[in-house]
């Protein structure tokens, strides 16, 4: 199984500052088709997860351009520029290259 | 508006069975692969099972293989999860989801 390892944030994050969340996969998620099979989700308190980023760097419909995804085949970063109150929650990375689909353990973002 | 509405959860004794349903609307259900993903209380996300649009391909997490069965009825826009031989560790909020959309979840509690 592909293991997804997420880093922690130096919480709380001051409002208006940027925040970067890291995720590492135990196997390259870069397919021969050139696409990287990684999603980022945000789960706000008491809500269902929401897709933020797919194919490592493509923003989902309606997602603020303050969110950006980047990385290589095994190391990934979700950057949130100018953190706002609505960004509070737990962020998950997920690989969809292979079954079983696997998620990282989650990274909590708290606002100062 | 896309909606995924889960039902069928509840309190069940260990070893018993339960069947979850997910009614989809607002998109062409028969065109999409579907997933069940669960979240134990206070824990992260765990992928449970996936089914392709025509039910040709089905995958399960090792933790549920042989006990859970995912299925769908495209005529009824409904996804199912038949759960048997339930264990206390199956206690979780079960989400029906595509990549982009998640339901609100249905709680399953396995306890004597």
């Amino acid at each position: 199984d592909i293991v997804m390892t997420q880093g922690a944030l130096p919480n709380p994050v001051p409002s208006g500052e940027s925040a970067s969340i890291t995720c590492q996969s135990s196997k390259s998620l870069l397919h021969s088709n050139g696409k990287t099979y990684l999603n980022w989700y945000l789960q706000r308190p008491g809500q269902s997860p929401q897709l933020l980023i797919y194919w490592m760097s493509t923003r989902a419909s309606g997602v603020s351009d303050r969110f950006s995804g980047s990385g290589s085949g095994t190391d990934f970063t979700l950057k949130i520029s100018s953190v706002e109150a609505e960004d509070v929650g737990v962020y998950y990375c997920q690989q969809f290259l292979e079954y079983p689909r696997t998620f990282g353990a989650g990274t909590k973002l708290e606002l100062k | 508006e896309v909606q995924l509405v889960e039902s069928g959860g509840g309190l069940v004794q260990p070893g018993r069975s339960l069947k979850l349903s997910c009614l989809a609307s607002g998109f062409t259900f028969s065109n999409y692969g579907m997933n069940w993903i669960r979240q134990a209380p206070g824990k992260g996300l765990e992928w449970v099972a996936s089914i392709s649009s025509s039910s040709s391909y089905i995958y399960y997490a090792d933790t549920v293989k042989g006990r859970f069965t995912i299925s769908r009825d495209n005529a009824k826009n409904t996804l199912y999860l038949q759960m048997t031989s339930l264990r206390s560790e199956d206690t979780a909020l079960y989400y029906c989801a595509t990549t982009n959309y998640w339901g609100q979840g249905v709680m399953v509690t396995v306890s004597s």
Side-chain angles (χ1 to χ4, degrees), chain A residues 43-101:
Chain A
Q43 186 173 33
R44 297 186 174 97
Q47 295 187 18
S48 304
Q50 169 198 358
L51 180 67
L52 296 175
I53 302 284
Y54 59 97
W55 299 129
M56 186 180 71
S57 59
T58 303
R59 266 190 306 276
S61 176
V63 173
S64 170
D65 60 5
R66 296 185 298 102
F67 292 90
S68 61
S70 63
S72 62
T74 58
D75 293 276
F76 313 100
T77 301
L78 175 71
K79 183 175 180 181
I80 312 165
S81 63
S82 189
V83 169
E84 299 178 358
E86 66 180 19
D87 303 334
V88 165
V90 180
Y91 291 80
Y92 295 94
C93 59
Q94 181 216 21
Q95 65 81 19
F96 60 105
L97 180 69
E98 295 179 355
Y99 288 98
R101 304 297 198 225

Side-chain angles (χ1 to χ4, degrees), chain B residues 22-39:
Chain B
C22 171
L23 179 62
S25 61
F27 66 106
T28 306
F29 179 74
S30 59
N31 286 351
Y32 288 83
M34 296 295 298
N35 310 282
W36 287 101
I37 294 159
R38 68 185 181 184
Q39 187 169 35

Side-chain angles (χ1 to χ4, degrees), chain A residues 41 43 48-49 92 99-101, chain B residues 39 47 59 95 99 102-104:
Chain A
Y41 291 93
Q43 186 173 33
S48 304
Y92 295 94
Y99 288 98
R101 304 297 198 225
Chain B
Q39 187 169 35
W47 170 80
Y59 305 92
Y95 293 104
T99 296
W102 294 55
Q104 288 303 302

Side-chain angles (χ1 to χ4, degrees), chain A residues 5-10 20-24 40 76 91 93 106-108:
Chain A
T5 303
Q6 291 187 229
L9 275 174
S20 291
I21 299 169
T22 61
C23 172
Q24 190 171 51
W40 285 100
F76 313 100
Y91 291 80
C93 59
T107 300
K108 191 171 187 178

Side-chain angles (χ1 to χ4, degrees), chain B residues 5 12 14 29 31 33 38 47-48 55 60 66 85 91 96 100 105-106:
Chain B
V5 180
V12 62
F29 179 74
N31 286 351
R38 68 185 181 184
W47 170 80
V48 173
S55 304
Y60 296 99
S85 302
T91 294
C96 159
N100 298 51
V106 61

Side-chain angles (χ1 to χ4, degrees), chain B residues 66-108:
Chain B
R67 300 188 299 123
F68 290 12
T69 302
I70 188 172
S71 62
R72 64 191 296 162
D73 185 334
N74 286 344
K76 294 182 178 180
N77 287 350
T78 303
L79 176 72
Y80 303 100
L81 186 67
Q82 175 70 55
M83 304 184 292
T84 64
S85 302
L86 282 161
R87 306 167 179 167
S88 58
E89 53 264 37
D90 296 319
T91 294
L93 187 63
Y94 283 74
Y95 293 104
C96 159
T98 66
T99 296
N100 298 51
Y101 301 105
W102 294 55
Q104 288 303 302
V106 61
M107 189 66 201
V108 173

